[in-house]
Amino acid sequence: MVALILILTTSLFFPGLIVRVKSIASGRKGPGILQPIKNIYVLLRKGIVYSTLSGTVSRFAPVIVFGSVAVASLMIPVAGFEPLISFNGDFILFAYLLALARFMMIIASFDTGSSFEGMGASREALYGMLIEPALFILLAGLVVFTGEYSLTGIFNLPGGENYNLIYGLIISYILGNITIIENSRVPLDDPKTHLELTMIHEVMVLDTSGFNLALIQFSSFIKFAVFGSLIASALIPRDLSLAWRLISFVTVQMVFAATIGFLESFRTRFKMNRNQQFILTVTMISVLMFVIILFTKNIF
Amino acid sequence: MLILLYILFGISLVYIASTEKFRHYIQIYAMQGILLFGMALIELKDFYFLNLLLILAETIIFKSVIVPYLLRKIMQRTGIYSVHKRSLKGNYTVLLMMVILGISLLLAKVLSIPSVNKIYTVIAWFTLFTGLLLVSVRKYLFGHLVGFLIIENAVFLFSMAIGSRFPMLVNTGILLDIFIAVLVMSMFLTKIGHKMGGFEADTLSQLKD
Amino acid sequence: MLAIYFISGFLLAGLVFVFPRKKSVHVITLIAILLQASFTAYAFFHRGETELTYFTFDPLALLFQGILVIISSATFYHTINYTKTIDHLNRSFFYASFIVLNLALTGVYASNNLVITWIFIEITTLSVAYLINFHRSKTSLEATWKYIFVCSVGIALAYIGILFAGAASGIASSGNMSFAGLKSAFLDINPIYLKIAFILILAGYSSKLEVFPLYTIGIDANYVSPAPVSAFLSTALVNGGFVAFFRIFEAMSGTIIGIWINHVLMITGVLSLLVAAIYVQKATNLKRVFAYSTVEHMGLVLIALSLGKAGIYIALLQITFHSLIKSGLFYQTGILHRVLRSYKLVKSGGYLRMNAIGAVILFTGVVLICAVPPSALFRSEFLLLRELGLNNVLLFIIVALLLTFIFYGVFQKNMKVIAGEQAHAGEPGDKPAWSEYITQVILFSAAMVLCFYIPSFLDDLFRSVSGIPDGSFNSIFNTLA
């Protein structure tokens, strides 16, 4: 329960923190930290406009997106707090819930009949396909490292023996890159761009409005919080007291948000064909990590 | 701590393979010099102090300061800032790196030396094959040069992994580094650009039967 | 004495810059050559001694040091003509590199430690760069760049092989990297280390030894460098590669991978022969023809090494006689270039008409290098083919076939140069003085004499290295009892 509350709280503040950091980095004061939540609140009360060309998929897809991401967030351990759902093999369910969300968004964007959205959807599908090995190889490495098969057990890294902060840092690095790719941030895709030809994620939700848009945006916030919690679980030692764990969790999330904000401010987005390279590099690094873990466990 | 340095070294190799700007090559090579400095500091603690000082000076001063400076001069003088259009794209190079990682794992397993932790030899073989890959797929001579410098890093890693009890071996490995790199780069700096009319490896194909 | 030799050698190389006038440079280099000759004599009298811990004057070192003296003096004599017209700085660099190259080769021949040999091989690579890049044209720059680059990669590979050998020996003993120490340490080591070390060292040193796989840079280096330098490269430098490789081979041949090593050497030798046989037909330049002939002879040397103790004797014969004959050939090629003004085969022809003495000498050289009696190479190749025929008939047939192709290629192209039609009607170049033929006459007559009679001190050197007893191979029709 505590885990769920922490994740929800994080998801409320995370995007606002990123926007605030970006503004401060460019010399402005920027909107308030709760501004994205206020936007969602406004959207929740607005009506929905459906295109005449769209069919049933556009009606139910956003709900499924939000639902799957919300259920996925129920499985995430947070720095030693147990999640609501936890069983052996749940990391596969987690990965495929996220994939289901992405699939729903893709077919919803096809449903609208706009070619821009189809273009963005195909790119999103490619990048999702390329990042999946990275996530799975990382999770497999963690399974080998801890010997457990559930997300709670896997990310109980700091509790296990021959754990090193080093592994935690490198796993955080890989997870951070995966976050950027999953949520389509810079350098993969600039969320502030207004040119549909260059969009990947934003273009898929061009025709969504009102309540549906609020659902999709909020699910993106939850995804941030989910990955941030995974990073925090990998980094925070388990033998601290409750208060210290909470404080370090909050610190980790703030640092993570600030890092994403700084990266977005100081990096340009890549050329389209460089995105593949970027994702494959992240995959390669997670393969390297897997090999290192095999060596640490003397399996090889 | 040593494991961290080796992991970071492996990650730097992945980045060298995937990047397409020569500026990044130089930066990553300088970072590798610093990593090797750390590795030498930890691994070769039992050497004579003077010997250790020489090795440390060589890694930091030579690999991280002098060589990047010379490489930057070469880059400015030749005006070539990124890899050739027709050389192998970054994503294919990264895929090849996965194959290379598999080969190095195989080699380390088959040629395992009992007294040496396998992870060190894996990274050393990985570096060697990455350097050879860079020499083969890059079309500008600059890429060949950087590939060769990475092969020398591999030699240094091998000498530390396998020969860490024999100071003479490590010293001669460094000797190779200094002599060859200085000669190669001085030649490159002074002559090739003017004469060859281009820095593509294709222009070096006049000698054939 | 060795320390004095090295130090004074380096001083002389430095003095060449201090006194850059043509006469002084020649005098200083002459002093260096005389110093080398006296050092060789000293070494002959102090056979078997170890100096400076890492250098031993064993028979192998003495043999090749003697060859080095002969070739370096002849090369120096011929380069005088080449360096007449270049400016002072380049001439100083040229002769300084030449002196340093000689010093480094002495280091390679005499060293008894794996790592020291490797260091000196590296120094030879560095010092030979300037000699190759003499003409400073596009192609010579390309060849020099490739030579340095590939040699450096080869040396790095050989170093990794040395590391494996060292790790293997370190497990058994205290890490003594001298060849004697390695030989005893290799006896009870996991053979996989030895195999990988051998493969890496062979692949790495093949750039120096001009065999498969890294022979190409040797061909290109011979092609672009001036003829006396090519003579030096094809003989003294290749001998250096041979010594470095041979010592490792000796250390490893007594271990359990000895038979595997023989197979690898046989394959490499046959591949080198194959390469030489194919490419010599395509060669369009006289120096490339002779360079491929070097590849052929080195391939034969490797095949000989794989045949046991008798094979080592034959290999030494082969490499010594090859050095004498190939150097003479290249000196004559230099004179040919001055007369015909080109090395290209399409532009050469009618050498006999233009320069009868030179043509006769060239013809003699070609006959000698193709192992036709009375060539000394006939003696060694006959013994080699006989040993092959006794052990492995299939290999004998393959080697004989390839040798026939090579004979055809070399001979046909040289006959075109000597007796073919004159390709261009321009006036011939300068007439060389008769004194320039002396070196070749001496070398070729020595080769012809050695076919029938090997003086006892030379034979003693061969036998000490290979370890076969006196009395066998006394006549070429003798067998090893």
Side-chain angles (χ1 to χ4, degrees):
Chain A
M1 197 63 204
V2 182
L4 184 62
I5 295 176
L6 282 176
I7 290 179
L8 283 178
T9 331
T10 318
S11 63
L12 292 179
F13 290 102
F14 208 98
L17 201 54
I18 294 180
V19 171
R20 197 65 191 265
V21 167
K22 276 166 77 166
S23 314
I24 295 178
S26 22
R28 300 175 276 128
K29 193 160 168 234
I33 293 196
L34 283 180
Q35 186 59 39
I37 298 299
K38 290 184 190 164
N39 288 345
I40 290 189
Y41 182 61
V42 166
L43 280 174
L44 280 174
R45 295 182 308 164
K46 280 196 174 176
I48 308 177
V49 177
Y50 290 113
S51 148
T52 46
L53 296 172
S54 60
T56 15
V57 179
S58 303
R59 267 69 168 176
F60 66 71
V63 178
I64 297 186
V65 167
F66 178 69
S68 41
V69 172
V71 170
S73 73
L74 290 178
M75 295 194 273
I76 304 295
V78 174
F81 299 110
E82 304 271 324
L84 282 177
I85 306 178
S86 171
F87 51 91
N88 274 348
D90 60 358
F91 58 89
I92 302 183
L93 182 63
F94 168 73
Y96 279 103
L97 279 173
L98 294 182
L100 178 67
R102 187 181 295 121
F103 173 67
M104 280 297 148
M105 283 194 26
I106 289 175
I107 59 172
S109 67
F110 283 147
D111 196 46
T112 58
S114 154
S115 47
F116 282 133
E117 302 199 13
M119 212 168 60
S122 76
R123 285 176 192 153
E124 172 87 15
L126 173 69
Y127 299 150
M129 176 190 87
L130 288 177
I131 198 59
E132 191 146 318
L135 185 61
F136 267 115
I137 293 177
L138 177 69
L139 291 174
L142 288 174
V143 165
V144 169
F145 192 77
T146 52
E148 312 249 355
Y149 291 95
S150 66
L151 269 177
T152 328
I154 292 176
F155 279 97
N156 196 18
L157 276 179
E161 75 276 3
N162 61 18
Y163 165 75
N164 228 338
L165 189 62
I166 293 156
Y167 293 129
L169 284 173
I170 298 185
I171 292 171
S172 323
Y173 177 68
I174 301 175
L175 277 174
N177 274 326
I178 293 180
T179 317
I180 291 177
I181 295 166
E182 286 260 348
N183 287 332
S184 304
R185 311 296 294 187
V186 174
L188 204 73
D189 168 29
D190 191 356
K192 283 198 316 216
T193 181
H194 58 279
L195 305 165
E196 293 91 342
L197 273 177
T198 60
M199 293 179 188
I200 299 175
H201 184 93
E202 300 300 315
V203 72
M204 292 199 292
V205 296
L206 269 184
D207 272 343
T208 338
S209 51
F211 189 77
N212 289 347
L213 188 58
L215 286 180
I216 291 186
Q217 281 191 356
F218 194 57
S219 59
S220 148
F221 298 164
I222 297 181
K223 272 208 280 193
F224 267 127
V226 156
F227 282 111
S229 317
L230 286 178
I231 292 179
S233 308
L235 283 177
I236 298 176
R238 295 286 182 265
D239 47 355
L240 295 178
S241 68
L242 181 81
W244 275 113
R245 270 190 284 158
L246 280 176
I247 294 177
S248 36
F249 173 77
V250 169
T251 322
V252 165
Q253 300 292 51
M254 282 174 58
V255 168
F256 186 40
T259 317
I260 295 187
F262 276 121
L263 280 178
E264 293 214 355
S265 317
F266 293 117
R267 243 171 153 178
T268 58
R269 70 166 292 174
F270 289 152
K271 277 179 4 181
M272 279 299 171
N273 46 4
R274 232 195 116 202
N275 281 336
Q276 292 177 29
Q277 215 166 297
F278 173 60
I279 301 178
L280 279 173
T281 313
V282 174
T283 314
M284 182 67 200
I285 295 179
S286 69
V287 167
L288 202 62
M289 197 57 213
F290 182 68
V291 165
I292 304 272
I293 291 179
L294 283 181
F295 274 105
T296 323
K297 283 288 171 183
N298 288 326
I299 291 176
F300 199 73
Chain B
M1 188 60 193
L2 200 56
I3 294 269
L4 170 69
L5 293 176
Y6 273 94
I7 298 175
L8 288 177
F9 199 87
I11 294 180
S12 72
L13 286 175
V14 174
Y15 274 115
I16 271 196
S18 71
T19 184
E20 290 185 356
K21 284 198 190 314
F22 284 139
R23 188 172 43 102
H24 293 158
Y25 280 19
I26 301 177
Q27 288 166 354
I28 295 177
Y29 183 71
M31 193 185 91
Q32 284 187 346
I34 300 177
L35 289 174
L36 288 175
F37 169 77
M39 283 185 213
L41 198 57
I42 297 177
E43 180 98 18
L44 304 174
K45 264 203 282 261
D46 323 314
F47 279 15
Y48 282 131
F49 178 67
L50 224 55
N51 205 349
L52 188 60
L53 204 63
L54 170 73
I55 298 174
L56 293 178
E58 192 267 342
T59 49
I60 274 288
I61 296 179
F62 191 73
K63 284 195 211 269
S64 304
V65 176
I66 298 184
V67 167
Y69 171 71
L70 288 174
L71 285 176
R72 218 169 293 136
K73 288 278 288 268
I74 293 175
M75 238 175 60
Q76 285 162 0
R77 196 183 277 219
T78 62
I80 297 173
Y81 294 101
S82 62
V83 302
H84 199 269
K85 290 188 293 292
R86 285 180 310 153
S87 61
L88 205 63
K89 286 283 171 234
N91 33 0
Y92 298 118
T93 331
V94 174
L95 287 174
L96 279 173
M97 294 283 276
M98 297 202 197
V99 175
I100 286 177
L101 186 61
I103 296 178
S104 359
L105 285 173
L106 203 63
L107 271 174
K109 178 125 202 199
V110 167
L111 300 172
S112 58
I113 300 182
S115 53
V116 175
N117 191 356
K118 277 201 214 98
I119 186 68
Y120 304 150
T121 36
V122 166
I123 297 282
W125 282 114
F126 191 46
T127 320
L128 177 69
F129 287 125
T130 306
L132 288 173
L133 175 75
L134 276 182
V135 169
S136 350
V137 306
R138 292 287 169 244
K139 288 219 182 314
Y140 276 131
L141 288 179
F142 195 87
H144 290 187
L145 202 50
V146 174
F148 180 67
L149 291 172
I150 294 182
I151 294 179
E152 287 184 4
N153 275 354
V155 167
F156 187 74
L157 281 174
F158 266 117
S159 65
M160 278 208 306
I162 300 182
S164 65
R165 281 170 291 153
F166 314 126
M168 197 171 170
L169 285 177
V170 184
N171 285 342
T172 48
I174 291 180
L175 224 64
L176 168 74
D177 222 344
I178 298 181
F179 280 162
I180 302 287
V182 166
L183 180 77
V184 162
M185 265 188 284
S186 58
M187 264 208 67
F188 203 99
L189 262 182
T190 52
K191 300 215 171 104
I192 287 200
H194 307 298
K195 284 285 162 79
M196 306 302 295
F199 282 88
E200 298 156 25
D202 292 344
T203 59
L204 285 188
S205 53
Q206 297 184 13
L207 280 174
K208 55 180 145 205
D209 277 312
Chain C
M1 176 66 184
L2 189 65
I4 302 175
Y5 174 57
F6 277 144
I7 296 177
S8 35
F10 274 109
L11 279 176
L12 286 170
L15 276 180
V16 155
F17 288 102
V18 174
F19 299 109
R21 284 178 53 227
K22 184 171 65 176
K23 273 259 161 50
S24 3
V25 165
H26 289 149
V27 164
I28 294 175
T29 318
L30 189 60
I31 296 177
I33 304 243
L34 288 174
L35 184 67
Q36 188 178 42
S38 50
F39 169 74
T40 313
Y42 168 87
F44 265 97
F45 285 122
H46 292 250
R47 175 170 158 166
E49 281 181 17
T50 307
E51 294 211 8
L52 297 180
T53 329
Y54 293 122
F55 299 98
T56 311
F57 298 136
D58 59 347
L60 190 68
L62 291 177
L63 173 67
F64 286 109
Q65 181 70 22
I67 300 175
L68 178 67
V69 166
I70 300 172
I71 294 185
S72 67
S73 34
T75 304
F76 167 65
Y77 176 67
H78 282 279
T79 54
I80 294 179
N81 210 334
Y82 267 86
T83 57
K84 257 197 282 214
T85 48
I86 59 178
D87 58 303
H88 287 318
L89 189 64
N90 285 323
R91 185 182 307 121
S92 309
F93 262 115
F94 185 85
Y95 282 111
S97 312
F98 186 65
I99 297 175
V100 170
L101 183 60
N102 276 311
L103 292 173
L105 280 172
T106 309
V108 171
Y109 296 151
S111 118
N112 65 14
N113 188 305
L114 185 56
V115 179
I116 299 287
T117 312
W118 182 84
I119 295 179
F120 275 102
I121 292 263
E122 191 184 318
I123 299 179
T124 61
T125 308
L126 301 179
S127 49
V128 91
Y130 203 84
L131 298 174
I132 299 178
N133 196 16
F134 180 76
H135 289 302
R136 249 164 263 283
S137 63
K138 262 174 132 171
T139 39
S140 73
L141 196 55
E142 175 185 340
T144 317
W145 165 260
K146 280 185 181 168
Y147 187 82
I148 295 182
F149 195 76
V150 176
C151 262
S152 310
V153 172
I155 287 178
L157 284 178
Y159 184 70
I160 298 178
I162 290 176
L163 275 175
F164 271 99
S169 89
I171 295 167
S173 75
S174 63
N176 179 14
M177 295 293 269
S178 73
F179 290 109
L182 282 176
K183 190 161 184 159
S184 59
F186 282 165
L187 285 175
D188 44 11
I189 290 298
N190 187 359
I192 196 76
Y193 303 144
L194 297 180
K195 285 190 185 177
I196 194 72
F198 182 76
I199 289 273
L200 283 171
I201 292 180
L202 178 60
Y205 282 153
S206 72
S207 54
K208 286 278 166 216
L209 195 50
E210 293 195 27
V211 288
F212 186 86
L214 295 176
Y215 60 92
T216 48
I217 51 167
I219 308 285
D220 290 335
N222 274 321
Y223 167 59
V224 302
S225 49
V229 173
S230 295
F232 197 82
L233 288 181
S234 297
T235 52
L237 205 57
V238 165
N239 292 352
F242 174 76
V243 167
F245 171 70
F246 181 75
R247 293 206 196 265
I248 276 280
F249 165 76
E250 249 189 336
M252 287 194 185
S253 60
T255 64
I256 58 177
I257 65 166
I259 302 189
W260 179 83
I261 287 183
N262 288 344
H263 290 158
V264 170
L265 282 179
M266 216 173 284
I267 296 175
T268 315
V270 169
L271 280 172
S272 312
L273 275 180
L274 185 66
V275 155
I278 296 176
Y279 280 102
V280 83
Q281 317 296 340
K282 279 187 72 175
T284 53
N285 182 298
L286 195 59
K287 280 208 289 192
R288 280 186 100 90
V289 171
F290 292 141
Y292 281 117
S293 164
T294 309
V295 174
E296 167 218 344
H297 285 285
M298 287 305 125
L300 285 175
V301 164
L302 285 188
I303 295 178
L305 279 182
S306 69
L307 294 175
K309 279 204 182 142
I312 299 181
Y313 180 80
I314 298 171
L316 289 171
L317 287 181
Q318 177 91 13
I319 207 167
T320 315
F321 302 151
H322 169 259
S323 307
L324 296 175
I325 302 175
K326 188 50 71 66
S327 49
L329 262 181
F330 268 113
Y331 298 141
Q332 180 53 237
T333 313
I335 299 176
L336 182 149
H337 178 71
R338 290 207 340 258
V339 172
L340 289 178
R341 293 194 183 281
S342 172
Y343 289 117
K344 286 210 201 349
L345 292 173
V346 291
K347 293 208 185 123
S348 324
Y351 192 44
L352 188 57
R353 244 161 283 134
M354 293 193 194
N355 185 359
I357 313 177
V360 166
I361 294 183
L362 180 67
F363 180 75
T364 319
V366 170
V367 160
L368 292 180
I369 198 79
C370 292
V372 175
S375 162
L377 278 175
F378 171 72
R379 187 189 187 99
S380 62
E381 286 193 17
F382 179 84
L383 291 170
L384 170 66
L385 285 172
R386 169 217 233 94
E387 288 296 321
L388 268 182
L390 286 175
N391 296 326
N392 194 339
V393 176
L394 179 63
L395 202 61
F396 169 81
I397 296 176
I398 295 176
V399 169
L401 262 180
L402 291 173
L403 283 179
T404 318
F405 286 135
I406 296 172
F407 176 90
Y408 169 72
V410 171
F411 209 76
Q412 181 247 342
K413 292 183 192 299
N414 278 289
M415 285 315 289
K416 176 180 186 303
V417 168
I418 294 174
E421 275 194 24
Q422 235 166 314
H424 60 104
E427 84 260 14
D430 47 346
K431 206 102 170 85
W434 63 269
S435 57
E436 301 199 33
Y437 300 113
I438 293 184
T439 48
Q440 298 121 64
V441 168
I442 297 178
L443 288 167
F444 290 158
S445 4
M448 286 196 273
V449 164
L450 282 170
C451 175
F452 300 106
Y453 167 69
I454 301 183
S456 58
F457 74 92
L458 197 59
D459 202 35
D460 180 48
L461 283 175
F462 292 146
R463 285 178 199 286
S464 321
V465 178
S466 54
I468 62 176
D470 281 334
S472 24
F473 287 139
N474 264 338
S475 121
I476 53 176
F477 303 108
N478 232 353
T479 56
L480 183 60

